[in-house]
């Protein structure tokens, strides 16, 4: 991993969407392919703080130490049960190995849902 981290965590804004809250949420692309799920998170991180967390507001999510001081904020386009759907371009960016997204393996993910 080279250079400074561009982002320190991921906030998925699903405010206003009907979402089933689960212990192991998934983020998928518009084609239904997984972008983030429990398999991405290291066993140590999952045991220490779970796969992801939920917050009631975007401000609370962005202020959380879980996602650090420079979280990447993405808007969910829809929800399917407990799965969050994000735009294809956002999914491609999260899959980019050059994208400094090691925070995903640490479970540094918060979902905003009220």
């Amino acid at each position: 991993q080279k250079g400074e981290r561009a982002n320190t965590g991921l906030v998925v804004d699903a405010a206003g969407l009907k979402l089933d809250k689960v212990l192991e949420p998934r983020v998928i692309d518009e084609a239904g392919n997984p972008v983030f799920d429990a398999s991405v998170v290291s066993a140590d991180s999952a045991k220490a703080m779970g796969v992801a967390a939920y917050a009631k507001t975007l401000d609370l999510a962005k202020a959380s130490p879980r996602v650090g001081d420079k979280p990447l904020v993405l808007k969910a386009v829809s929800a399917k049960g407990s799965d969050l759907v994000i735009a294809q371009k956002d999914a491609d960016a999260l899959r980019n190995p050059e994208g400094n997204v090691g925070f995903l393996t640490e479970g540094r993910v918060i979902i905003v849902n009220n």
Side-chain angles (χ1 to χ4, degrees):
Q1 194 149 320
K2 298 182 182 94
E4 187 182 347
R5 284 184 173 196
N7 296 108
T8 54
L10 174 64
V11 173
V12 182
D13 185 358
L17 297 177
K18 183 164 175 26
L19 177 69
D20 297 334
K21 293 181 179 156
V22 294
L23 288 174
E24 296 183 355
R26 294 188 329 152
V27 176
I28 60 175
D29 64 19
E30 292 172 293
N33 300 309
V35 178
F36 171 81
D37 60 22
S39 69
V40 173
V41 182
S42 74
D44 288 343
S45 294
K47 187 175 181 181
M49 57 188 203
V51 173
Y54 293 91
K56 292 222 178 283
T57 69
L58 189 55
D59 287 343
L60 285 172
K62 291 197 300 193
S64 171
R66 183 180 190 120
V67 294
D69 59 350
K70 292 188 287 188
L72 173 62
V73 179
L74 299 178
K75 183 81 176 136
V77 286
S78 65
K80 294 180 178 175
S82 62
D83 290 348
L84 289 161
V85 182
I86 60 172
Q88 198 63 47
K89 66 177 178 46
D90 293 335
D92 292 344
L94 281 175
R95 290 190 180 109
N96 179 356
E98 300 294 310
N100 265 343
V101 291
F103 55 80
L104 293 177
T105 62
E106 298 165 6
R108 295 187 172 281
V109 176
I110 295 183
I111 297 162
V112 178
N113 191 246
N114 44 8

